[in-house]
Amino acid sequence: MARGPATHLLRIYSSKNNVSRIRFLSSDRFFQSSKELYPNEPPKSHVCSSFDCPIHPPFKTAQLHKLPSYYHKIRVPNFNKQLFSTLVENEKFNSDSESTEGVELESDEARDCHVGSGKSVEFAHVAFHDPAEIYRELRDAPKSEKQTRYDWDMLGEIFSCFSKSGWASNQALAVYIGASFFPTAVQKFRNFFFKKCQTDIVKYLVSLGPCNEAERFLFPIFVEFCLEEFSDEIKRFKGMIDSADLTKPHTWFPFARAMKRKIIYHCGPTNSGKTYNALQRYMEAKKGIYCSPLRLLAMEVFDKMNTLGVYCSLLTGQEKKHVPFSNHISCTVEMVSTDELYDVAIIDEIQMMSDPFRGYAWTRAFLGLKADEIHVCGDPSVLDIVRKICSETGDQLVENHYERFKPLVVEAKTLLGDLRNVRSGDCVVAFSRREIFEVKLAIEKYTSHRCCVIYGALPPETRRQQANLFNDQDKEYDVLVASDAVGMGLNLNIRRVVFYSLSKYNGDKIVPVAPSQVKQIAGRAGRRGSRYPDGLTTTLHLDDLDYLIECLKKPFDEVKKVGLFPFFEQVELFAGQLPDMTFSQLLGKFGENCRLDGSYFLCKHDHIKKVANMLEKVQAISLEDRFNFCFAPVNIRDPKAMYHLLRFASSYAQKLPVNIAMGMPKCSARNDTELLDLETKHQVLSMYLWLSNHFKEETFPYVKKAEAMATDIADLLGQSLIKACWKPESRNKPKSKPEENEDGHERPRSLIKLYKKKRDESPSPPQYVEKVAT
């Protein structure tokens, strides 16, 4: 329905001609506030003395001059300024009344309209009635009293605004009326109200019009209606909300809260010695655990501890190496146990608490580790939120601040867009696999340098092999080409970090690299005790230099929230409220209804939902097993890897031994397609090993074979990277498109028509025809 002054004028005109029961409504949606209309009246003059409640001042046509200028231009043909009727029964209007054609709105004072006069005062007492009493009166009323058509139309508008009210929807959550159910509840409340409404309530609502005051009058009556009519729905939604309650996560770990833990925050940039100092205390402890952000770093600490004579075991998602008599563990942060008691624990790269995908693992380790001393290492971005969490948990916080051993220097002279200016010890950082291989190919073609390659899709063993080649001064590989994977997890002798570009694809569009990430990567240049103690950084192109300087000067952004994700037990409790939903729908519903404190956010889980959608094809599998399969380390953009995960789950559901069923390549890759295939095969084997550590051993019986295959493929990948001299290809090739003619795109043709066309176009053998003719 159209709204505005033009609509009201049309109603006046229609009422004059007995077209409908319409009256002119005074509403603050169309006119200025009473202060502007009545500047000389004191505020208390708007209060009714008999009822002591706010009322609307009478509306006068003289007030129309207060409207915006474009409303003054509205003309209504045959507009008559005499009083109009609100009832169809008043059919004695003089049809010959004086009228003017195209009269412009005038500002002279007319008589008070129906709304806003004594009528609103007459029904104002309704506002003081108890909402529960009003609801009972409506419920017990035999039927609705007769109302004018205008009143019905206005009620429709009021309820329409009420159903769309964000305020009412939010308030309804307090009585466990969910946002998805709210419109349905309002619709049923509207039907109930229209069948039972009483004149005094209707007149009072109509006098208010579709405004906030009407919403606040209706809402408590709506609540009474819902409590009586939707008790089952409210009970179900309350149970769902309670089971999705992620507030106060520090209370999930009562044993950790019972301890008086000491938190030592080693705060500083890359190459400042913060992790080194934490590891010194770790080695001195009788029992300790090191929580790493990467398998590669966990393996490095594992090797280092055992080399120094500290017996240490390794625990990652893919491998478990138990060293006899060891009291120390090096693990990935997702694998940390919150049940064991330790003397010293280290959580490395603590700023990863704010990671949108994996942050929950750091939060869980920080809140739940049972250790007398917990050393957290990272940059200052999460320092404030760590302080806040420690105040909630009652843990003692000690802050140790560090500076770089040698300052990071930005070289004003860039490579000027020419990779021939690369020098020994340089690390060229690119943010896509294609760019990495293009840079390697160009450097080795136009210079005498040889390149090592490191990027995220490579297995840890291959990355370590490439890093060792680069660090070895006796080898000819003196330049490193890497992705942002070089930012953590490897000790590299880098003289200078050169940014090939400072933008990357984030899965949706090309965006600038975050300043914190630029700092992390640039900080890899220079290493204490290496042949390059001084760190340098620059860019390939001069245009990127200003952004690099800006990023390095910019202080770390303060993190306001850290990540959370529910345990399986919480998901299981939530699933009990919604037994008919698929696991993917369950996760989506949990994300919609979970409650969080202001310091936490729910980690993104779209990749988990995508795996869950694929696994819906597998029926005979428990919720817990489905939950574990969905967390398997699979590249959701790789169809082959997804296929193997589906096959593993299908075999498991059929209670069959899960086999690898994958051929072993015989040689290193000769082109990029074969290199991609090697990467995929290793990812599948890594996924098999991960599943074998999360399910019963007898269901994944080929662990030894998978480990041997993974080691061989990692070696083949290393050999392939050394001799790689081809242009890279995309992992997901675009589908071939039908040929286009001059007129545009050509539609695919029917196979039958193509066959007939081919048969008609093929020439008939003349000799055969002649023989038939004779």
Side-chain angles (χ1 to χ4, degrees), residues 220-407:
I221 307 172
F222 168 73
V223 168
E224 295 292 333
F225 172 78
C226 291
L227 291 175
E228 186 168 306
E229 296 293 323
F230 307 123
S231 57
D232 292 339
E233 175 66 25
I234 289 173
K235 185 177 179 181
R236 185 193 66 80
F237 187 73
K238 183 179 185 301
M240 186 171 66
I241 291 295
D242 291 342
S243 60
D245 187 0
L246 298 182
T247 57
K248 299 182 180 178
H250 61 278
T251 61
W252 302 348
F253 308 96
F255 290 104
R257 299 291 74 78
M259 300 176 64
K260 184 63 177 178
R261 304 187 309 174
K262 183 178 181 181
I263 310 295
I264 298 95
Y265 195 125
H266 301 272
C267 180
T270 308
N271 195 26
S272 60
K274 56 186 185 297
T275 306
Y276 173 83
N277 288 335
L279 285 172
Q280 293 302 308
R281 184 69 187 93
Y282 169 77
M283 289 188 290
E284 295 170 1
K286 292 182 179 179
K287 187 176 182 181
I289 186 167
Y290 170 78
C291 305
S292 163
L294 299 169
R295 283 179 62 201
L296 183 59
L297 195 52
M299 292 163 62
E300 187 173 309
V301 170
F302 166 76
D303 291 338
K304 183 177 181 180
M305 292 298 107
N306 286 290
T307 301
L308 295 174
V310 179
Y311 295 147
C312 181
S313 297
L314 177 67
L315 178 61
T316 69
Q318 287 79 0
E319 55 192 327
K320 294 179 181 178
K321 292 183 179 179
H322 177 69
V323 175
F325 311 109
S326 64
N327 289 323
H328 291 69
I329 297 174
S330 178
C331 68
T332 47
V333 69
E334 284 86 356
M335 297 296 292
V336 64
S337 171
T338 57
D339 297 327
E340 293 289 329
L341 186 64
Y342 305 99
D343 294 323
V344 172
I346 298 176
I347 306 175
D348 208 354
E349 306 294 348
I350 189 64
Q351 71 273 4
M352 291 286 286
M353 292 173 80
S354 63
D355 185 81
F357 295 96
R358 296 177 63 204
Y360 66 91
W362 276 262
T363 304
R364 170 178 166 269
F366 183 73
L367 292 175
L369 267 171
K370 293 192 294 184
D372 296 323
E373 282 184 23
I374 299 179
H375 296 256
V376 296
C377 308
D379 62 44
S381 60
V382 294
L383 180 56
D384 283 343
I385 198 142
V386 165
R387 289 170 179 161
K388 183 177 180 181
I389 293 173
C390 286
S391 67
E392 294 172 350
T393 59
D395 295 325
Q396 178 188 358
L397 178 63
V398 177
E399 299 175 16
N400 295 333
H401 294 268
Y402 300 82
E403 298 293 337
R404 277 182 64 95
F405 293 123
K406 290 290 184 72

Side-chain angles (χ1 to χ4, degrees), residues 643-658:
Y643 161 76
H644 281 284
L645 178 59
L646 178 61
R647 188 174 58 80
F648 293 160
S650 300
S651 297
Y652 180 86
Q654 297 170 25
K655 302 187 184 306
L656 298 174
V658 181

Side-chain angles (χ1 to χ4, degrees), residues 44-273:
K44 292 185 178 180
S45 65
H46 298 288
V47 179
C48 175
S49 57
S50 57
F51 295 103
D52 193 26
C53 67
I55 61 171
H56 294 282
F59 173 76
K60 305 180 188 303
T61 56
Q63 297 167 5
L64 288 175
H65 76 278
K66 301 280 188 177
L67 294 173
S69 59
Y70 54 86
Y71 285 157
H72 288 211
K73 304 301 181 183
I74 300 173
R75 293 170 177 268
V76 182
N78 302 319
F79 175 72
N80 195 306
K81 296 198 299 181
Q82 71 180 46
L83 289 174
F84 60 94
S85 173
T86 61
L87 300 176
V88 173
E89 288 79 359
N90 291 341
E91 295 179 350
K92 297 182 180 180
F93 279 106
N94 183 8
S95 60
D96 297 326
S97 301
E98 294 182 6
S99 61
T100 56
E101 195 168 334
V103 174
E104 190 166 348
L105 291 181
E106 296 180 0
S107 59
D108 58 309
E109 187 172 331
R111 293 189 183 180
D112 292 348
C113 293
H114 185 91
V115 180
S117 62
K119 285 283 185 179
S120 62
V121 177
E122 181 181 349
F123 302 107
H125 66 280
V126 175
F128 295 95
H129 287 188
D130 181 13
E133 182 182 337
I134 294 176
Y135 170 69
R136 286 193 294 270
E137 289 177 2
L138 293 173
R139 182 193 60 193
D140 299 337
K143 63 177 182 179
S144 173
E145 297 177 356
K146 186 177 180 180
Q147 310 297 333
T148 64
R149 175 176 293 182
Y150 172 75
D151 289 346
W152 288 122
D153 290 343
M154 185 54 63
L155 280 178
E157 284 193 40
I158 291 170
F159 273 91
S160 176
C161 291
F162 185 73
S163 67
K164 299 173 184 176
S165 169
W167 174 85
S169 179
N170 289 335
Q171 293 296 314
L173 289 173
V175 290
Y176 298 101
I177 298 294
S180 58
F181 184 69
F182 177 76
T184 303
V186 172
Q187 181 62 34
K188 292 187 178 182
F189 176 58
R190 178 186 182 278
N191 296 339
F192 161 80
F193 192 92
F194 276 40
K195 288 178 183 178
K196 301 283 189 174
C197 62
Q198 303 299 299
T199 300
D200 54 349
I201 300 175
V202 172
K203 295 299 183 185
Y204 176 69
L205 277 173
V206 170
S207 70
L208 297 176
C211 62
N212 293 338
E213 193 175 347
E215 292 174 9
R216 282 158 174 75
F217 173 75
L218 280 176
F219 183 77
I221 307 172
F222 168 73
V223 168
E224 295 292 333
F225 172 78
C226 291
L227 291 175
E228 186 168 306
E229 296 293 323
F230 307 123
S231 57
D232 292 339
E233 175 66 25
I234 289 173
K235 185 177 179 181
R236 185 193 66 80
F237 187 73
K238 183 179 185 301
M240 186 171 66
I241 291 295
D242 291 342
S243 60
D245 187 0
L246 298 182
T247 57
K248 299 182 180 178
H250 61 278
T251 61
W252 302 348
F253 308 96
F255 290 104
R257 299 291 74 78
M259 300 176 64
K260 184 63 177 178
R261 304 187 309 174
K262 183 178 181 181
I263 310 295
I264 298 95
Y265 195 125
H266 301 272
C267 180
T270 308
N271 195 26
S272 60

Side-chain angles (χ1 to χ4, degrees), residues 573-735:
L573 183 64
F574 185 77
Q577 309 294 326
L578 304 166
D580 300 326
M581 280 195 175
T582 66
F583 186 61
S584 176
Q585 293 171 336
L586 201 66
L587 290 176
K589 203 72 175 175
F590 190 98
E592 292 173 6
N593 295 287
C594 70
R595 290 188 292 182
L596 295 156
D597 290 334
S599 301
Y600 301 92
F601 66 87
L602 186 68
C603 285
K604 294 181 181 179
H605 50 280
D606 292 340
H607 57 298
I608 300 174
K609 289 167 66 176
K610 186 169 183 179
V611 175
N613 283 327
M614 180 188 70
L615 294 181
E616 291 304 325
K617 303 171 186 176
V618 183
Q619 297 298 325
I621 188 171
S622 68
L623 181 66
E624 184 175 7
D625 291 339
R626 196 177 294 276
F627 184 85
N628 286 330
F629 269 107
C630 287
F631 276 87
V634 61
N635 183 359
I636 61 174
R637 294 176 295 177
D638 190 339
K640 292 181 181 178
M642 292 287 279
Y643 161 76
H644 281 284
L645 178 59
L646 178 61
R647 188 174 58 80
F648 293 160
S650 300
S651 297
Y652 180 86
Q654 297 170 25
K655 302 187 184 306
L656 298 174
V658 181
N659 57 20
I660 300 171
M662 187 175 64
M664 181 67 190
K666 296 180 180 179
C667 62
S668 60
R670 292 161 293 188
N671 53 53
D672 200 57
T673 302
E674 293 183 359
L675 183 64
L676 284 169
D677 187 58
L678 284 175
E679 292 175 11
T680 296
K681 286 181 184 297
H682 195 280
Q683 288 174 15
V684 171
L685 293 168
S686 177
M687 181 168 57
Y688 186 93
L689 293 171
W690 188 93
L691 291 169
S692 71
N693 285 329
H694 289 76
F695 291 90
K696 293 180 180 179
E697 187 176 348
E698 56 269 20
T699 58
F700 292 85
Y702 306 105
V703 174
K704 297 296 183 184
K705 181 182 177 182
E707 289 175 347
M709 290 177 67
T711 301
D712 292 342
I713 290 178
D715 291 339
L716 290 175
L717 278 167
Q719 298 172 26
S720 303
L721 293 174
I722 289 173
K723 64 178 185 179
C725 57
W726 52 75
K727 290 186 178 180
E729 296 179 7
S730 173
R731 184 177 294 276
N732 298 318
K733 293 182 179 179
K735 296 180 179 180

